[in-house]
Amino acid sequence: MNNNLSRVKISDIAQRAGVSTGTVDRVIHNRGEVSKKTRDKVLRILEELNYQPDILASTLASKKVFRIAALIPEAGTTNLFWNAPLAGLQEAWREIKHFGVSLDTFFFKHDDVLSFEKQFDRIIGIEPDGLLVSPIFADQAKKRLFTLKDLDIPVVFINSNIEDQQNIAFVGQDTRQSGMVAARLLDYSLNSGESISIINFISETGGNHHILSREEGFRYYFEPTTSNRQINTTNIYTQEEQKIEEVLTKAIGTDSPRAITKGVFVTNSRVFKVANYLKKHNIQNVILIGYDLLECNIDYLRNNYIDFLISQNPWEQGYKSLMALFNSRIMKKEIVKNQFLPIDIITKENIDYYLNN
Amino acid sequence: MNNNLSRVKISDIAQRAGVSTGTVDRVIHNRGEVSKKTRDKVLRILEELNYQPDILASTLASKKVFRIAALIPEAGTTNLFWNAPLAGLQEAWREIKHFGVSLDTFFFKHDDVLSFEKQFDRIIGIEPDGLLVSPIFADQAKKRLFTLKDLDIPVVFINSNIEDQQNIAFVGQDTRQSGMVAARLLDYSLNSGESISIINFISETGGNHHILSREEGFRYYFEPTTSNRQINTTNIYTQEEQKIEEVLTKAIGTDSPRAITKGVFVTNSRVFKVANYLKKHNIQNVILIGYDLLECNIDYLRNNYIDFLISQNPWEQGYKSLMALFNSRIMKKEIVKNQFLPIDIITKENIDYYLNN
DNA sequence: TTAATTTCCGTGTGCGCACACGGAAATATT
DNA sequence: AATATTTCCGTGTGCGCACACGGAAATTAA
């Protein structure tokens, strides 16, 4: 490149091996039509001189486009979380597109396993060079991973993980540990003996792994201690506002038999529903903690109805997923398989510094 | 590049303007030797067709090296914080070096203004294409910024800011706001009426702006409320361990007249000294909060002597500073001037996810 | 043994841009 | 008006690599 003395070129390898640069190219790219003797000699010299290709020149000369497909939930008005990973994906693509990368994004409905399957099969049909997928519906995803492996299509999981698969990377948060963080915050914030309510907004079509895992971590925090805290779980299955209100009244309301509930842990981003309830009923002195920097959650945080939000770094999830695939397959770098993102604790005082992306 | 139908090339501009590609190049790069009539025509077509240069081809063809100098405190054994920004700088450079970027890092002693001046003047002497500097000694830095401006050398501030300067970016934390975060955490963790000690480890050679700013933010948090908390400040000027112990005994020890101190806010990374004191004297039930993920601080956090650490994202400070200069001057992108990093709240439960860099 | 096919390899071209060189035209000086 | 100088512009080369093409050599089939 610019420092000719320190950068090994294909022509240096060719000269050393006594062959042409065309032959070196054939060896590097496994194009065949090279004798074993010549091939071994070239490989040895490549290693000796630690040849590193000039990615700029390579991309300029190559006609090849690395086509990446992404399969994520569509955001819409009921699933705002997924706007941020999409934005992260798009920014990452903007940074790397001049290396010959194309990105096609496919969406499925968060609560609709059939749309997940349909879109996944469409993607398999176009045989991309790489895939990013949020495998919320784990069984259906698993079935298709074999096909992807046969087609030699590398896969990165984003936000949800499936253990023991051949994905090259997972990018997301350690959900169980995030529950422990929530527990720590509530434990510190409450007086001795004050009890806690866990609120789970459950989807009936599956994909609740995160919620269960967070609760598990939360409860695990209190296990080893001789804690005198009572912890009660309430599962909310309905989407009807009136029904939700009834359940919350029973769980944390002033009519509740658990009238000493002073801390509430909501295991997903719908914490705004609880905040709304507290506001409506003028319930004070309850510490409320939930997930994700949705606009409505941020409003309640700024107005002291939510005390802490735990951010999953959704933008970074999108960004880092695409960068993992790029670094692995184009830059040929080693990548870490499980890329856990920070478990960010957000308060009214630091929220502004998490909104850049 | 790879998609010839959608990418405007210099040859397209040349054809449209009825000139050669050499002329278009001369216009793009302001090389002169082009008539005004021709120049205006080419510029109009460049804008019409929204020409975007192929950075890959440009770098490959160009012999130019963009030389960046960085001036930061040396880490050593007493200033471990600065290892992380250095690592961030080096990683950023690894990612962009193939675009023809070189990086020379210069160090000054954190408490030695003369070494700062000497190194700064050395840098001016080599006339780099860009400079990253931690302007801890603000007056001395200011004097040299005029020279840099005359030489048309763009400057990025890292970790410390100086207002109203011609730096193209500042990358660091909002220190005052981080004090408010600390206040929030202690306010929640302590019972009503329990008092708080602020501990400032002061350097006698200057560079205490961060410490003062953090205290200011902390106190500001409690101002608007009818808080019944007593907040006491103790400044520690000495480096002698015995002296430090005496001062801490007076401030927070069991012999202290302020025996009801239950929360301690240390305004920099030397929080380990207070943690050590608490451990040594078997003082329990004190909530301790300080800054930075130094190894010793992390140990005390894991062992429950420190309750919260506030991370300044030092690695990202280095990384983003270099990327700001790169994006501004090489990629020709607009950049944000004040790039405040997140104010990360670290507990024993989430520390592991902040150690990747 | 001869002809057909495959393997092997070198050579040439082009990706989009940077930029040096030199001839022609325009301008300034004598 | 003749000469010298400057401006203007087109042309050619090369950056490091990808990869197609074709001639020579080796191998296989008849």
Side-chain angles (χ1 to χ4, degrees), chain A residues 1-2 4 7 54-57 59-60 62-65 91 94-95 97-101 174 177 180-181 184-185 188-191 221 287 301 304 306-308 313 319-320 323 331 333 339-350 352-354 356-357, chain B residues 1-2 4 7 54-57 59-60 62-65 91 94-95 97-101 174 177 180-181 184-185 188-191 221 287 301 304 306-308 313 319-320 323 331 333 339-350 352-354 356-357:
Chain A
M1 197 182 68
N2 300 309
N4 293 336
R7 184 103 193 203
D54 184 333
I55 183 69
L56 303 192
T59 304
L60 185 62
S62 172
K63 296 288 189 294
K64 191 172 161 187
V65 177
E91 175 59 30
R94 256 190 297 275
E95 287 183 19
K97 69 180 176 181
H98 55 253
F99 286 111
V101 178
D174 183 333
Q177 199 69 19
M180 292 180 71
V181 171
R184 152 74 68 151
L185 291 172
Y188 268 53
S189 302
L190 302 179
N191 293 325
Y221 174 92
I287 308 289
L301 185 73
N304 297 304
I306 295 177
D307 299 281
F308 297 98
N313 277 273
Y319 184 90
K320 288 190 169 180
M323 294 310 277
M331 303 301 279
K333 289 184 189 171
Q339 301 187 25
F340 291 110
L341 293 171
I343 302 173
D344 288 339
I345 300 169
I346 313 296
T347 70
K348 177 179 160 187
E349 285 74 28
N350 69 1
D352 287 331
Y353 306 101
Y354 291 88
N356 285 348
N357 298 317
Chain B
M1 198 183 66
N2 299 309
N4 292 337
R7 184 106 194 201
D54 184 332
I55 183 70
L56 303 193
T59 304
L60 186 62
S62 173
K63 297 289 189 292
K64 192 173 161 188
V65 177
E91 175 60 29
R94 258 192 297 273
E95 286 183 21
K97 68 179 175 181
H98 55 255
F99 287 110
V101 178
D174 184 334
Q177 199 68 20
M180 291 179 70
V181 171
R184 152 74 66 154
L185 291 172
Y188 268 54
S189 303
L190 301 180
N191 293 325
Y221 174 91
I287 307 289
L301 185 73
N304 297 305
I306 295 177
D307 299 282
F308 297 99
N313 277 273
Y319 185 90
K320 287 189 172 182
M323 294 309 278
M331 302 301 280
K333 291 184 187 171
Q339 301 187 24
F340 292 109
L341 293 172
I343 303 173
D344 287 338
I345 299 170
I346 313 296
T347 70
K348 177 177 157 187
E349 283 75 28
N350 70 359
D352 286 332
Y353 305 102
Y354 290 87
N356 285 349
N357 300 313

Side-chain angles (χ1 to χ4, degrees), chain A residues 61-321:
Chain A
S62 172
K63 296 288 189 294
K64 191 172 161 187
V65 177
F66 195 86
R67 298 174 303 118
I68 296 179
L71 178 58
I72 59 173
E74 70 188 6
T77 55
T78 61
N79 206 20
L80 294 170
F81 172 85
W82 282 97
N83 278 325
L86 179 61
L89 271 180
Q90 284 168 343
E91 175 59 30
W93 180 62
R94 256 190 297 275
E95 287 183 19
I96 63 174
K97 69 180 176 181
H98 55 253
F99 286 111
V101 178
S102 78
L103 173 67
D104 287 310
T105 312
F106 296 74
F107 302 99
F108 63 94
K109 297 184 203 301
H110 194 277
D111 294 335
D112 182 359
V113 65
L114 289 182
S115 77
F116 177 74
E117 288 182 293
K118 179 179 165 191
Q119 294 289 59
F120 209 138
D121 292 333
R122 274 183 71 194
I123 288 173
I124 290 173
I126 65 173
E127 293 193 30
D129 298 303
L131 173 66
L132 308 179
V133 58
S134 171
I136 289 177
F137 303 104
D139 293 337
Q140 292 79 10
K142 272 197 216 167
K143 280 179 196 150
R144 288 161 179 79
L145 292 178
F146 296 110
T147 305
L148 292 174
K149 183 167 185 299
D150 289 343
L151 295 173
D152 200 25
I153 300 177
V155 180
V156 173
F157 293 153
I158 168 175
N159 187 258
S160 292
N161 202 10
I162 314 180
E163 306 279 350
D164 305 315
Q165 302 300 315
Q166 307 263 29
N167 56 309
I168 64 168
F170 159 67
V171 179
Q173 197 177 64
D174 183 333
T175 46
R176 189 172 181 276
Q177 199 69 19
S178 77
M180 292 180 71
V181 171
R184 152 74 68 151
L185 291 172
L186 281 184
D187 194 27
Y188 268 53
S189 302
L190 302 179
N191 293 325
S192 182
E194 289 180 331
S195 67
I196 293 170
S197 250
I198 299 174
I199 309 286
N200 297 324
F201 288 96
I202 302 276
S203 161
E204 289 183 307
T205 54
N208 296 303
H209 172 69
H210 282 183
I211 289 171
L212 302 177
S213 184
R214 288 169 184 154
E215 178 179 352
E216 188 181 316
F218 192 94
R219 287 182 173 276
Y220 182 77
Y221 174 92
F222 290 107
E223 259 177 31
T225 64
T226 55
S227 171
N228 58 352
R229 290 198 193 283
Q230 186 174 2
I231 302 174
N232 311 295
T233 296
T234 301
N235 294 327
I236 301 183
Y237 295 92
T238 186
Q239 306 269 42
E240 287 182 50
E241 296 298 333
Q242 185 147 13
K243 288 268 172 65
I244 289 170
E245 177 135 337
E246 290 171 18
V247 181
L248 287 181
T249 299
K250 197 173 291 187
I252 59 174
T254 48
D255 299 343
S256 172
R258 303 159 185 155
I260 58 171
T261 290
K262 290 294 183 184
V264 181
F265 173 46
V266 181
T267 49
N268 68 358
S269 57
R270 295 190 202 161
V271 60
F272 61 87
K273 290 179 186 281
V274 179
N276 183 51
Y277 179 89
L278 297 181
K279 179 181 178 185
K280 200 164 156 190
H281 294 269
N282 200 30
I283 299 180
Q284 319 241 358
N285 295 318
V286 166
I287 308 289
L288 175 61
I289 175 168
Y291 285 80
D292 298 329
L293 308 188
L294 309 188
E295 214 171 299
C296 46
N297 285 345
I298 295 173
D299 282 344
Y300 285 120
L301 185 73
R302 291 198 201 274
N303 290 293
N304 297 304
Y305 291 102
I306 295 177
D307 299 281
F308 297 98
L309 286 170
I310 295 183
S311 170
Q312 297 185 63
N313 277 273
W315 190 94
E316 279 80 12
Q317 289 188 21
Y319 184 90
K320 288 190 169 180
S321 293

